[in-house]
Every structure is written in structure tokens, then in C-alpha cells.
Amino acid sequence: MFVQVVIIGGGPSGLLLAAKLAARGIDVIVLEQRTRKYVLSRIRAGVLETGTVNQLVEIGAGKNLLQNGLKHNGVFIATDEDMFHIDFKESIDKQVTVYGQTEVTKDLYELLDRRNIPIIHEAKVEKILDHTSSRPTVVYENNGQTKSVQCEFVIGCDGFHGISNKIIKRNQENPYLIQLPYGWLGILSETPPVEDELIYSRSSMGFALASMRSKSLSRYYVQVPTGENVGNWSDARFWESFKLRIPKHVRSNLITGPSIEKSIAPLRSYVANTMQEGHLLLCGDAAHIVPPTGAKGLNLAASDVYYAHEALVSYFFNNQLDKINEYSNKALMRVWKSMRFSWWMTRMFHHDPNQNPFEEKIGESELNHLKDSKLMQSVFSDNYTGLPY
């Protein structure tokens, strides 16, 4: 079997790239290790930058997004008993859209099905052969059988633990990786959001975030130490901890309810040395992991797709490798800018047990500067809503 492009990973980045390439007449196949039901059960981020929204709309996967996505003109920043608003629309005339990653994935699946773009589920990739040549081969197991597909390019959208990342790391040294000493305990509840936009809170009890998936589905988080066991957290304990981390006037509007999902996400930063080696390109979590504080994970995957699509189209239509060879540097430039912003936000909002009193005061000062400076709020808005591609 031969196709022009094999995409490993059927999450949002893999599906988005498949749809964009197929729309240009490029032959593509998606190999996904899990079942579709499993992929659609994953609870992930839901704040979309303008560039991500535009890509989904352009390929025809934006109908539900435009109808049901929540347009947000800003965010609230809180401390123990104080809260202020950063207005994206006023400062830079941009917005973000709150729309769950599960819904993005569902919309992309429906689009690929309508256009008969092949997705093979329960396809465990065992080998990527000759990825530095012009004819790589992907070997995978499906339904108890070993199969292979030859191609011109392999795109690894299979995450941090996937085979694509491992192959490139095997040939590279010193990846940029930091594990933070805290994580996020998050719950999903069928309750109306406490506020109509997100609230980021730096409190004396630790970080908290009030987010949402819709007008009737809320997502809340509290900071917990690394290694914390989610089984130790009843709904009652979570709600009590969350209430202590938000201002009193917000607390009085909070509607609580039973959780329908509860999990702990570790916080870490990772960036690969390179996102391309020969005819193997990485996108999304296969190349970088960013703390969720700045809402950049899914959006960075979408920007990778933008650059990968640009490079592949140039190759297949102009027979040029220039943009393929430039892909990693171009994508990583935007990755590092977003990584810087997420790192800054993370350090500003969280209490780090390894910080000294001086560093704690710097975090407080950063927050006060953000509150008092319109220029700083414009910089924040520019980064949060998404830097240009």
C-alpha cells in the first residue's frame, strides 16, 4: 500500500492536518491506536485562539463551533478578595472561543467521514522505517495482523509517549523538559459557570481556575502537589478547597453539584530539539508540552498543522523541500513564544514549594503590574488570544 502522507494519531492535530491535505488533493491516511469511542471520551482544553478557529472554519468543520462556541472578550484575574478584568476586545480587538476539544474532535471526525478520508482505528504503529529517506514505511498492527504502508512523509501526531517522538529523541540529545512540583485537580460538573468568562485566581491557598465547556457545563481546577491521589478528593473536599481560593463575592454565586469527571493533570514543560528529521515531522504533544495555564496546548498543535500543511503543499505542488527543511525552525519559533507566556503565567499564579520569599514577592508584583498597567494587559491579551502564524 502507498499513500503520499501517513499521519500517526487521530486526535485534533492529526485529523485537522488530514482534512487540510485532503482538501488539496493530497493522498492521506490516519492511523490511530485507540478506538474512536476512547478518543472522544478524553476531556481536554477548550479555549481556542482565533487562528485555530479560522482553520476549522476554512476546512468546513466550523458549523457547530460557530453556533455553540462561547465568544469571550476577556478573562478575570483574582486574588483572595480582589478581582479585575482584562478586556481583549478593548485592548487589541480580538477574542477567544470556548469550545471543548472533544467537540472539535467530533466535528473533525464527521468531516473526514463525509469526505471519505481513511482513518484506521486500533492501529498500533510498531516501526517507522527509513524515515530519513524519500520513501518511509510505517509498520502497524491492526486486528491481529501486521500491515505496512509506504509513503513520502510521516507526520507524528501521536503525543509525548508515541513512537514518532521516541524516534527523534533517540537521535537527539538534551530535550528541554521541566517537571513542576504541582498539578491541577480538575472536575467537570453539570452546573452553570460561576462567571461568564474564565477566572484565574492566585490565592494564599494556591491556584484555582474557573472555566467552562458550555453554559451548563463547568470545569474547575485547584492546584495540588505532584503525586496527589485523586481518590483522596471527594466532591465535597474539592468544592470546599475551590471556594477558599476565590473572592467572597464570586463564592456566593457558585453553584456546586456532583462531578461527572475528576482527574489530576501533572504540569510540565517540554520542547523537542527538532520537530523534523528527514521525512518525519512532529506536530502537537509529540513535539512539545506546555502547562495548561495559558490555554496553549491544542492551539500550538493547530499552529504546527498550519506550518506542516504549508510545507507539504509546497513540496507536493512545487517539488520543493525548502519549506520542509524550514518547518522545525518556523514552528519552534512560535512554540517558544507560547512556552514563554505559559511559563510566565504559571509561575505568576501558582505557589511553588521550592520558591524562596523573594520569588514569591516577584509573583505578587507581576500580578499587581498586570492589574495596573494597560500596556501589560495589551501584551497579555495579544499572547492569550494567539500570536500570528
Side-chain angles (χ1 to χ4, degrees), residues 211-256:
S211 185
M212 72 281 289
R213 291 295 174 265
S214 69
K215 293 180 179 180
S216 59
L217 195 61
S218 297
R219 185 75 165 157
Y220 296 108
Y221 300 92
V222 294
Q223 175 185 346
V224 295
T226 296
E228 184 67 70
N229 185 349
V230 71
N232 294 333
W233 286 79
S234 64
D235 287 356
R237 183 186 176 192
F238 176 87
W239 289 121
E240 186 61 30
S241 179
F242 182 79
K243 288 176 183 177
L244 292 173
R245 304 177 191 215
I246 56 176
K248 186 181 294 184
H249 74 277
V250 177
R251 197 181 312 154
S252 63
N253 296 327
L254 179 67
I255 297 175
T256 64

Side-chain angles (χ1 to χ4, degrees), residues 86-106:
I86 297 179
D87 194 319
F88 307 149
K89 195 71 176 172
E90 181 182 276
S91 60
I92 61 168
D93 196 27
K94 290 175 70 176
Q95 297 173 302
V96 293
T97 303
V98 173
Y99 189 70
Q101 179 173 317
T102 302
E103 296 305 311
V104 171
T105 308
K106 181 181 176 183

Side-chain angles (χ1 to χ4, degrees), residues 31-51:
L31 303 178
E32 166 54 47
Q33 181 175 348
R34 303 287 191 170
T35 65
R36 181 175 296 201
K37 181 179 179 180
Y38 179 91
V39 174
L40 290 173
S41 71
R42 293 186 292 213
I43 304 296
R44 294 290 188 272
V47 179
L48 306 184
E49 295 176 355
T50 304

Side-chain angles (χ1 to χ4, degrees), residues 313-338:
V313 166
S314 177
Y315 174 81
F316 285 115
F317 285 89
N318 302 319
N319 197 29
Q320 293 180 352
L321 274 170
D322 292 1
K323 288 195 174 182
I324 294 291
N325 295 329
E326 294 168 0
Y327 165 71
S328 181
N329 287 338
K330 202 167 186 179
L332 281 173
M333 188 175 297
R334 193 175 189 277
V335 167
W336 276 110
K337 289 177 182 177
S338 295

Side-chain angles (χ1 to χ4, degrees), residues 317-369:
F317 285 89
N318 302 319
N319 197 29
Q320 293 180 352
L321 274 170
D322 292 1
K323 288 195 174 182
I324 294 291
N325 295 329
E326 294 168 0
Y327 165 71
S328 181
N329 287 338
K330 202 167 186 179
L332 281 173
M333 188 175 297
R334 193 175 189 277
V335 167
W336 276 110
K337 289 177 182 177
S338 295
M339 188 67 67
R340 182 210 62 81
F341 175 68
S342 292
W343 180 256
W344 172 76
M345 276 194 73
T346 301
R347 300 290 285 182
M348 179 170 61
F349 280 107
H350 292 77
H351 288 289
D352 189 330
N354 299 323
Q355 280 185 337
N356 59 44
F358 178 88
E359 291 171 313
E360 277 287 320
K361 281 295 184 182
I362 290 295
E364 291 178 20
S365 179
E366 290 275 18
L367 204 60
N368 288 329
H369 183 44

